[in-house]
Coordinates of all heavy atoms in Angstrom, one line a residue:
V1 N 105.8 89.5 87.1 CA 105.4 88.9 88.3 C 104.3 89.7 89.0 O 104.3 90.9 88.9 CB 106.5 88.5 89.2 CG1 107.5 87.5 88.6 CG2 107.2 89.7 89.8
I2 N 103.5 89.1 89.8 CA 102.6 89.7 90.7 C 103.0 89.4 92.1 O 103.3 88.3 92.5 CB 101.2 89.2 90.4 CG1 100.7 89.5 89.0 CG2 100.2 89.8 91.4 CD1 99.4 88.7 88.6
V3 N 103.1 90.5 92.9 CA 103.4 90.4 94.3 C 102.2 90.7 95.1 O 101.6 91.8 94.9 CB 104.6 91.3 94.7 CG1 104.8 91.2 96.2 CG2 105.8 91.0 93.9
R4 N 101.8 89.7 95.9 CA 100.6 90.0 96.7 C 101.0 89.9 98.2 O 101.6 88.9 98.6 CB 99.5 88.9 96.4 CG 98.3 89.1 97.3 CD 97.2 88.3 96.8 NE 96.0 88.5 97.7 CZ 94.8 88.1 97.5 NH1 94.6 87.4 96.5 NH2 93.9 88.4 98.4
I5 N 100.6 90.9 98.9 CA 100.9 91.0 100.4 C 99.6 91.1 101.1 O 98.9 92.1 100.9 CB 101.9 92.2 100.7 CG1 103.2 92.0 99.9 CG2 102.1 92.2 102.2 CD1 104.1 93.2 100.0
D6 N 99.3 90.2 102.0 CA 98.1 90.3 102.8 C 98.6 90.4 104.3 O 99.5 89.6 104.7 CB 97.3 89.0 102.7 CG 96.7 88.9 101.3 OD1 96.1 89.9 100.8 OD2 96.9 87.8 100.6
S7 N 98.0 91.3 105.0 CA 98.4 91.4 106.4 C 97.2 91.8 107.3 O 96.2 92.3 106.8 CB 99.5 92.4 106.6 OG 99.1 93.7 106.3
E8 N 97.3 91.4 108.5 CA 96.2 91.8 109.5 C 96.9 92.0 110.8 O 97.8 91.2 111.3 CB 95.3 90.6 109.6 CG 94.2 90.8 110.6 CD 93.3 89.6 110.7 OE1 93.8 88.4 110.6 OE2 92.1 89.8 110.9
V9 N 96.4 93.0 111.5 CA 96.9 93.3 112.9 C 95.7 93.2 113.8 O 94.6 93.7 113.5 CB 97.5 94.7 113.0 CG1 97.9 95.0 114.4 CG2 98.7 94.9 112.1
T10 N 95.8 92.5 114.9 CA 94.7 92.3 115.8 C 95.2 92.8 117.2 O 96.3 92.8 117.5 CB 94.3 90.8 116.0 OG1 95.4 90.0 116.3 CG2 93.7 90.3 114.7
K11 N 94.2 93.3 117.9 CA 94.4 93.8 119.3 C 94.7 92.6 120.2 O 94.1 91.5 120.1 CB 93.2 94.5 119.9 CG 93.0 95.8 119.2 CD 91.8 96.5 119.9 CE 91.5 97.8 119.2 NZ 90.3 98.5 119.9
G12 N 95.7 92.8 121.1 CA 95.9 91.8 122.1 C 95.3 92.2 123.4 O 94.1 92.4 123.5
T13 N 96.1 92.4 124.5 CA 95.6 92.7 125.8 C 96.1 94.1 126.2 O 97.1 94.6 125.6 CB 95.9 91.7 126.8 OG1 97.4 91.6 126.9 CG2 95.3 90.3 126.5
K14 N 95.5 94.6 127.3 CA 96.0 95.8 127.9 C 96.3 95.6 129.3 O 95.4 95.0 130.0 CB 95.0 97.0 127.7 CG 95.4 98.3 128.4 CD 94.3 99.3 128.3 CE 94.8 100.6 129.0 NZ 93.7 101.6 129.0
M15 N 97.5 95.9 129.8 CA 97.8 95.8 131.2 C 97.5 97.2 131.8 O 98.3 98.1 131.7 CB 99.2 95.3 131.4 CG 99.5 93.9 131.0 SD 101.1 93.4 131.3 CE 101.8 93.4 129.7
E16 N 96.4 97.3 132.5 CA 96.0 98.6 133.0 C 97.0 99.2 133.9 O 97.2 100.4 133.8 CB 94.6 98.4 133.8 CG 93.5 98.0 132.9 CD 93.0 99.1 132.1 OE1 93.3 100.3 132.3 OE2 92.3 98.8 131.1
K17 N 97.6 98.4 134.8 CA 98.6 99.0 135.7 C 99.7 99.8 135.1 O 100.2 100.8 135.6 CB 99.1 97.8 136.6 CG 100.1 98.3 137.7 CD 100.5 97.1 138.5 CE 101.4 97.6 139.6 NZ 101.9 96.5 140.5
Y18 N 100.1 99.3 133.9 CA 101.3 99.9 133.2 C 100.8 100.6 131.9 O 101.7 101.2 131.2 CB 102.3 98.9 132.9 CG 102.8 98.1 134.1 CD1 102.4 96.9 134.3 CD2 103.7 98.7 135.0 CE1 102.8 96.2 135.4 CE2 104.1 98.1 136.1 CZ 103.7 96.8 136.3 OH 104.1 96.1 137.4
N19 N 99.5 100.6 131.6 CA 99.0 101.2 130.3 C 99.7 100.6 129.1 O 100.1 101.2 128.2 CB 99.1 102.7 130.3 CG 98.3 103.3 129.2 OD1 97.3 102.8 128.8 ND2 98.8 104.5 128.7
L20 N 100.0 99.3 129.2 CA 100.8 98.6 128.2 C 99.8 97.8 127.3 O 99.0 97.0 127.8 CB 101.8 97.6 128.9 CG 102.9 97.0 128.1 CD1 103.8 98.2 127.5 CD2 103.7 96.1 128.9
H21 N 99.9 98.0 126.0 CA 99.1 97.4 125.0 C 99.9 96.4 124.2 O 101.0 96.6 123.9 CB 98.5 98.4 124.1 CG 97.6 99.4 124.8 ND1 98.1 100.4 125.6 CD2 96.3 99.6 124.9 CE1 97.1 101.1 126.1 NE2 96.0 100.6 125.7
T22 N 99.2 95.3 123.7 CA 99.8 94.4 122.8 C 98.9 94.3 121.5 O 97.7 94.4 121.6 CB 100.0 93.0 123.4 OG1 98.7 92.5 123.8 CG2 100.9 93.0 124.6
S23 N 99.6 94.1 120.4 CA 99.0 93.8 119.1 C 99.8 92.7 118.4 O 100.9 92.5 118.7 CB 98.9 95.1 118.3 OG 98.1 96.0 118.8
F24 N 99.1 92.0 117.6 CA 99.7 90.9 116.8 C 99.5 91.1 115.3 O 98.4 91.4 114.9 CB 99.2 89.6 117.3 CG 99.4 89.3 118.7 CD1 98.6 89.7 119.7 CD2 100.6 88.7 119.1 CE1 98.8 89.4 121.1 CE2 100.9 88.4 120.5 CZ 100.0 88.8 121.4
L25 N 100.6 90.8 114.6 CA 100.5 90.9 113.1 C 100.7 89.6 112.5 O 101.6 88.8 112.9 CB 101.6 91.9 112.7 CG 101.6 92.1 111.1 CD1 101.8 93.6 110.8 CD2 102.8 91.3 110.5
N26 N 99.9 89.3 111.5 CA 100.1 88.1 110.6 C 100.2 88.7 109.2 O 99.5 89.6 108.8 CB 98.9 87.1 110.7 CG 98.8 86.5 112.0 OD1 99.8 85.9 112.5 ND2 97.7 86.5 112.6
C27 N 101.1 88.1 108.4 CA 101.4 88.6 107.1 C 101.8 87.4 106.2 O 102.4 86.5 106.6 CB 102.6 89.6 107.2 SG 103.2 90.2 105.6
N28 N 101.3 87.5 104.9 CA 101.7 86.5 103.9 C 102.1 87.3 102.6 O 101.5 88.2 102.2 CB 100.5 85.7 103.6 CG 100.8 84.7 102.5 OD1 100.5 84.9 101.3 ND2 101.4 83.6 102.9
I29 N 103.2 86.8 102.1 CA 103.8 87.4 100.8 C 103.8 86.3 99.8 O 104.3 85.2 100.0 CB 105.2 88.0 101.0 CG1 105.1 89.1 102.0 CG2 105.7 88.4 99.7 CD1 106.5 89.7 102.3
R30 N 103.1 86.5 98.6 CA 103.1 85.6 97.5 C 103.6 86.2 96.3 O 103.3 87.4 96.0 CB 101.7 85.1 97.3 CG 101.1 84.2 98.4 CD 99.7 83.9 98.2 NE 99.4 83.4 96.8 CZ 98.2 83.4 96.2 NH1 97.2 83.9 96.9 NH2 98.1 83.0 95.0
I31 N 104.4 85.5 95.5 CA 104.8 86.0 94.2 C 104.3 85.0 93.2 O 104.5 83.8 93.3 CB 106.3 86.1 94.1 CG1 106.8 87.1 95.2 CG2 106.8 86.6 92.7 CD1 108.3 87.3 95.2
I32 N 103.6 85.5 92.2 CA 103.0 84.7 91.1 C 103.6 85.1 89.8 O 103.6 86.3 89.5 CB 101.5 84.8 91.1 CG1 100.9 84.4 92.5 CG2 100.8 84.0 90.0 CD1 99.5 84.8 92.8
K33 N 104.0 84.2 89.0 CA 104.6 84.4 87.7 C 103.5 84.7 86.7 O 102.6 83.8 86.6 CB 105.5 83.3 87.2 CG 106.4 83.6 86.1 CD 107.4 82.5 86.0 CE 108.6 83.0 85.1 NZ 109.7 82.1 85.1
T34 N 103.4 85.8 86.1 CA 102.4 86.1 85.1 C 102.5 85.3 83.9 O 103.6 84.8 83.6 CB 102.4 87.6 84.7 OG1 103.7 88.0 84.3 CG2 102.0 88.5 85.9
G35 N 101.4 85.0 83.3 CA 101.4 84.1 82.1 C 101.2 82.7 82.5 O 100.2 82.1 82.0
T36 N 102.0 82.2 83.4 CA 101.8 80.8 83.8 C 100.9 80.7 85.1 O 100.4 79.6 85.4 CB 103.1 80.1 84.1 OG1 103.7 80.8 85.2 CG2 104.0 80.1 82.9
E37 N 100.8 81.8 85.8 CA 100.0 81.9 87.0 C 100.6 81.0 88.1 O 100.0 80.6 89.0 CB 98.5 81.6 86.8 CG 97.8 82.5 85.9 CD 97.9 84.0 86.3 OE1 97.7 84.3 87.5 OE2 98.2 84.8 85.5
L38 N 101.9 80.6 87.9 CA 102.6 79.7 88.8 C 103.0 80.5 90.0 O 103.7 81.5 89.9 CB 103.8 79.1 88.1 CG 104.6 78.1 89.0 CD1 103.9 76.9 89.3 CD2 105.9 77.8 88.2
E39 N 102.7 80.0 91.2 CA 103.2 80.6 92.4 C 104.6 80.2 92.7 O 104.9 79.0 92.8 CB 102.3 80.2 93.6 CG 102.7 80.8 94.9 CD 101.8 80.4 96.1 OE1 102.1 79.4 96.7 OE2 100.8 81.1 96.3
I40 N 105.5 81.2 92.7 CA 106.9 80.9 92.8 C 107.5 81.2 94.2 O 108.6 80.9 94.5 CB 107.8 81.6 91.7 CG1 107.5 83.1 91.7 CG2 107.4 81.0 90.4 CD1 108.4 83.8 90.7
Y41 N 106.7 81.9 95.0 CA 107.1 82.2 96.4 C 105.9 82.4 97.3 O 104.9 83.0 96.9 CB 108.0 83.5 96.4 CG 108.5 83.8 97.8 CD1 109.7 83.2 98.3 CD2 107.9 84.7 98.6 CE1 110.2 83.6 99.5 CE2 108.3 85.1 99.8 CZ 109.5 84.5 100.3 OH 110.0 84.8 101.5
N42 N 106.0 81.8 98.5 CA 104.9 82.0 99.4 C 105.5 81.8 100.8 O 106.0 80.7 101.2 CB 103.8 80.9 99.2 CG 102.6 81.2 100.0 OD1 102.6 81.9 101.0 ND2 101.5 80.5 99.7
E43 N 105.4 82.8 101.6 CA 105.9 82.8 103.0 C 105.1 83.6 103.9 O 104.6 84.7 103.5 CB 107.4 83.2 103.0 CG 108.1 82.9 104.3 CD 109.6 83.0 104.3 OE1 110.2 83.1 103.2 OE2 110.2 83.0 105.4
S44 N 105.0 83.2 105.1 CA 104.1 83.9 106.1 C 104.9 84.2 107.4 O 105.8 83.5 107.7 CB 102.9 83.1 106.4 OG 102.1 82.8 105.3
L45 N 104.4 85.3 108.0 CA 104.8 85.6 109.4 C 103.6 85.5 110.2 O 102.5 85.9 109.9 CB 105.4 87.0 109.4 CG 106.6 87.4 108.6 CD1 106.9 88.9 108.7 CD2 107.8 86.6 109.0
H46 N 103.8 84.9 111.4 CA 102.6 84.7 112.3 C 102.9 85.2 113.7 O 104.0 85.1 114.2 CB 102.4 83.2 112.4 CG 102.0 82.5 111.1 ND1 100.8 82.6 110.5 CD2 102.8 81.7 110.3 CE1 100.9 81.9 109.4 NE2 102.0 81.4 109.3
D47 N 101.9 85.9 114.2 CA 101.9 86.4 115.6 C 103.1 87.2 115.9 O 103.7 87.0 117.0 CB 101.7 85.2 116.5 CG 100.4 84.5 116.3 OD1 99.4 85.2 116.1 OD2 100.3 83.3 116.5
I48 N 103.5 88.2 115.1 CA 104.5 89.1 115.4 C 103.9 90.1 116.5 O 103.0 90.8 116.2 CB 105.0 89.9 114.2 CG1 105.5 88.9 113.1 CG2 106.1 90.9 114.5 CD1 106.7 88.1 113.4
K49 N 104.6 90.1 117.6 CA 104.0 90.8 118.8 C 104.6 92.2 118.9 O 105.8 92.4 118.9 CB 104.3 90.0 120.0 CG 103.7 90.7 121.3 CD 104.0 89.8 122.5 CE 103.3 90.3 123.8 NZ 103.6 89.4 124.9
G50 N 103.7 93.2 119.0 CA 104.0 94.5 119.2 C 103.5 94.9 120.7 O 102.5 94.5 121.1
M51 N 104.4 95.6 121.4 CA 104.0 95.9 122.8 C 104.5 97.3 123.1 O 105.7 97.6 123.0 CB 104.6 94.9 123.8 CG 104.2 95.2 125.2 SD 104.9 94.0 126.4 CE 104.3 92.5 125.9
K52 N 103.6 98.2 123.4 CA 104.0 99.6 123.7 C 102.9 100.2 124.7 O 101.8 99.7 124.7 CB 104.0 100.5 122.5 CG 105.1 100.1 121.5 CD 106.5 100.6 122.1 CE 107.6 100.3 121.1 NZ 108.9 100.7 121.6
S53 N 103.3 101.2 125.4 CA 102.4 101.9 126.3 C 101.7 102.9 125.4 O 102.2 103.4 124.4 CB 103.1 102.5 127.5 OG 104.0 103.5 127.0
G54 N 100.5 103.3 125.8 CA 99.8 104.3 125.2 C 98.5 103.9 124.5 O 97.4 104.4 124.8
S55 N 98.6 103.0 123.5 CA 97.4 102.6 122.8 C 97.7 101.3 122.0 O 98.9 100.9 121.7 CB 96.9 103.7 121.8 OG 97.8 103.8 120.7
F56 N 96.6 100.7 121.5 CA 96.8 99.6 120.6 C 97.4 99.9 119.3 O 98.1 99.2 118.7 CB 95.4 98.9 120.4 CG 94.9 98.1 121.6 CD1 93.8 98.6 122.4 CD2 95.5 96.9 122.0 CE1 93.4 97.9 123.5 CE2 95.1 96.2 123.1 CZ 94.0 96.7 123.8
D57 N 97.1 101.2 118.8 CA 97.7 101.6 117.5 C 99.2 101.7 117.6 O 99.9 101.4 116.7 CB 97.1 103.0 117.1 CG 95.6 102.9 116.7 OD1 95.2 101.8 116.3 OD2 94.9 103.9 116.7
I58 N 99.7 102.2 118.7 CA 101.1 102.3 118.9 C 101.7 100.9 119.0 O 102.8 100.6 118.4 CB 101.5 103.1 120.2 CG1 101.0 104.6 120.0 CG2 103.0 103.1 120.5 CD1 101.0 105.4 121.2
A59 N 101.1 100.0 119.7 CA 101.5 98.6 119.7 C 101.5 98.0 118.4 O 102.4 97.2 118.0 CB 100.7 97.8 120.7
A60 N 100.5 98.3 117.6 CA 100.4 97.8 116.2 C 101.6 98.3 115.4 O 102.1 97.5 114.6 CB 99.1 98.2 115.6
K61 N 101.9 99.5 115.5 CA 103.0 100.1 114.8 C 104.3 99.4 115.2 O 105.2 99.1 114.3 CB 103.2 101.6 115.1 CG 104.3 102.3 114.3 CD 104.3 103.8 114.5 CE 105.5 104.3 113.7 NZ 105.7 105.7 114.0
D62 N 104.5 99.0 116.4 CA 105.6 98.2 116.9 C 105.7 96.9 116.2 O 106.7 96.4 115.7 CB 105.6 98.1 118.4 CG 106.8 97.4 118.9 OD1 108.0 97.7 118.6 OD2 106.6 96.4 119.8
A63 N 104.5 96.2 116.1 CA 104.5 94.9 115.4 C 104.8 95.1 113.9 O 105.5 94.2 113.3 CB 103.1 94.3 115.6
I64 N 104.3 96.1 113.3 CA 104.6 96.3 111.9 C 106.1 96.6 111.7 O 106.7 96.0 110.7 CB 103.8 97.5 111.4 CG1 102.3 97.1 111.3 CG2 104.3 98.0 110.0 CD1 101.4 98.3 111.1
E65 N 106.7 97.4 112.5 CA 108.2 97.6 112.4 C 109.0 96.3 112.6 O 110.0 96.1 111.9 CB 108.6 98.6 113.5 CG 108.1 100.0 113.1 CD 108.3 101.0 114.3 OE1 108.8 100.6 115.4 OE2 108.0 102.2 114.1
K66 N 108.5 95.4 113.5 CA 109.2 94.2 113.7 C 109.1 93.3 112.4 O 110.0 92.6 112.0 CB 108.7 93.4 114.9 CG 109.1 94.1 116.2 CD 108.5 93.4 117.4 CE 108.9 94.1 118.7 NZ 108.3 93.5 119.9
A67 N 107.9 93.3 111.8 CA 107.6 92.5 110.6 C 108.5 93.1 109.5 O 109.0 92.3 108.7 CB 106.1 92.6 110.3
E68 N 108.6 94.4 109.4 CA 109.4 95.0 108.3 C 110.8 94.5 108.4 O 111.5 94.2 107.4 CB 109.3 96.5 108.4 CG 108.0 97.1 107.9 CD 107.9 98.6 108.2 OE1 108.8 99.2 108.9 OE2 107.0 99.2 107.6
K69 N 111.4 94.4 109.6 CA 112.7 94.0 109.8 C 112.9 92.5 109.4 O 113.8 92.1 108.7 CB 113.2 94.1 111.3 CG 113.4 95.5 111.7 CD 113.8 95.6 113.1 CE 114.0 97.1 113.5 NZ 114.2 97.3 115.0
E70 N 111.9 91.7 109.7 CA 111.9 90.3 109.4 C 111.8 90.1 107.8 O 112.6 89.3 107.3 CB 110.7 89.6 110.0 CG 110.6 88.1 109.7 CD 111.7 87.3 110.4 OE1 112.3 87.7 111.4 OE2 112.0 86.2 109.9
I71 N 111.0 90.9 107.2 CA 110.9 90.9 105.7 C 112.2 91.3 105.1 O 112.7 90.6 104.2 CB 109.7 91.7 105.3 CG1 108.4 91.1 105.7 CG2 109.8 91.9 103.7 CD1 107.2 92.0 105.5
K72 N 112.8 92.4 105.6 CA 114.0 92.9 105.0 C 115.2 91.9 105.2 O 116.0 91.7 104.3 CB 114.3 94.3 105.7 CG 115.6 94.9 105.1 CD 115.9 96.2 105.8 CE 117.2 96.8 105.3 NZ 117.5 98.0 106.0
N73 N 115.3 91.4 106.4 CA 116.4 90.6 106.8 C 116.4 89.1 106.3 O 117.4 88.5 106.1 CB 116.7 90.6 108.3 CG 117.1 91.9 108.8 OD1 117.7 92.7 108.0 ND2 116.8 92.2 110.0
N74 N 115.1 88.6 106.1 CA 115.0 87.2 105.8 C 114.2 86.9 104.5 O 114.7 86.1 103.7 CB 114.3 86.4 106.9 CG 115.2 86.4 108.2 OD1 116.4 86.1 108.1 ND2 114.6 86.8 109.3
M75 N 113.1 87.5 104.3 CA 112.3 87.2 103.1 C 112.9 87.8 101.9 O 113.0 87.1 100.8 CB 110.9 87.7 103.3 CG 110.1 87.0 104.3 SD 108.4 87.7 104.5 CE 107.5 86.3 105.1
I76 N 113.3 89.0 101.9 CA 113.9 89.6 100.7 C 115.1 88.9 100.2 O 115.2 88.6 99.0 CB 114.1 91.1 100.8 CG1 112.7 91.8 100.9 CG2 114.9 91.7 99.7 CD1 112.7 93.3 101.1
P77 N 116.1 88.5 101.0 CA 117.2 87.7 100.5 C 116.7 86.4 99.9 O 117.3 86.0 98.9 CB 118.0 87.5 101.8 CG 117.7 88.6 102.7 CD 116.3 88.9 102.4
N78 N 115.7 85.8 100.4 CA 115.2 84.5 99.8 C 114.6 84.8 98.5 O 114.7 84.0 97.5 CB 114.1 83.9 100.7 CG 114.7 83.3 102.0 OD1 115.9 83.0 102.0 ND2 113.9 83.1 103.0
I79 N 113.8 85.9 98.4 CA 113.2 86.3 97.1 C 114.3 86.6 96.0 O 114.1 86.2 94.9 CB 112.2 87.5 97.3 CG1 111.0 87.0 98.1 CG2 111.8 88.1 95.9 CD1 110.2 88.2 98.6
R80 N 115.3 87.2 96.4 CA 116.4 87.6 95.5 C 117.1 86.3 94.9 O 117.6 86.4 93.8 CB 117.4 88.5 96.2 CG 117.0 89.9 96.4 CD 118.1 90.8 96.9 NE 117.5 92.1 96.9 CZ 117.9 93.0 97.9 NH1 118.7 92.6 98.8 NH2 117.3 94.2 97.9
R81 N 117.0 85.2 95.6 CA 117.6 84.0 95.1 C 116.7 83.3 94.0 O 117.2 82.4 93.3 CB 117.9 83.0 96.2 CG 119.0 83.5 97.1 CD 119.4 82.4 98.1 NE 118.7 82.4 99.3 CZ 119.1 83.1 100.4 NH1 120.0 84.0 100.3 NH2 118.4 83.0 101.5
I82 N 115.5 83.7 93.9 CA 114.6 83.2 92.9 C 114.9 83.7 91.5 O 115.1 84.9 91.3 CB 113.1 83.5 93.3 CG1 112.8 82.9 94.6 CG2 112.2 82.9 92.2 CD1 111.4 83.3 95.2
N83 N 114.9 82.8 90.5 CA 115.1 83.2 89.2 C 113.7 83.7 88.6 O 112.9 82.9 88.2 CB 115.6 82.1 88.3 CG 116.0 82.5 86.9 OD1 115.9 83.7 86.6 ND2 116.3 81.5 86.1
L84 N 113.5 85.0 88.6 CA 112.3 85.6 88.2 C 112.3 85.7 86.7 O 111.4 85.9 86.0 CB 112.0 86.9 88.8 CG 111.9 86.9 90.3 CD1 111.7 88.4 90.9 CD2 110.7 86.1 90.8

């Protein structure tokens, strides 16, 4: 199988008063069966919000950590149910 993961993090806003930054993550995971090129799994996460003080990079890391939890808790169990 081929596993393809595409993701993008974008800057949100900054609240100057609190030095609070937001970032948003979108992610897509696809699994394609080699030989047949049949897509057997396709799921996306949209607008996972990260919010931290300090910088947009720190807020992006927060969004990535939230997405990792979502992938671990929901997507991976779904993938394990697929007969690869």
Side-chain angles (χ1 to χ4, degrees):
V1 297
I2 298 169
V3 178
R4 181 170 178 169
I5 301 171
D6 297 306
S7 65
E8 176 184 38
V9 177
T10 56
K11 290 181 181 180
T13 59
K14 178 181 178 186
M15 290 184 253
E16 293 288 341
K17 183 176 180 180
Y18 304 103
N19 193 28
L20 195 61
H21 299 73
T22 59
S23 291
F24 296 91
L25 179 135
N26 292 309
C27 174
N28 177 262
I29 297 177
R30 292 175 46 203
I31 299 177
I32 300 166
K33 197 167 197 172
T34 53
T36 63
E37 301 302 316
L38 179 67
E39 182 178 88
I40 56 177
Y41 182 83
N42 186 344
E43 192 165 349
S44 298
L45 300 174
H46 300 283
D47 297 323
I48 304 294
K49 184 178 184 178
M51 183 183 299
K52 292 287 182 181
S53 62
S55 72
F56 287 109
D57 289 338
I58 295 170
K61 184 176 178 187
D62 184 48
I64 291 167
E65 289 170 356
K66 289 176 180 177
E68 287 173 349
K69 287 180 186 175
E70 181 72 21
I71 290 166
K72 180 180 177 183
N73 294 332
N74 295 313
M75 291 179 154
I76 290 178
N78 291 338
I79 291 168
R80 286 189 175 142
R81 288 192 270 279
I82 298 171
N83 184 8
L84 300 175

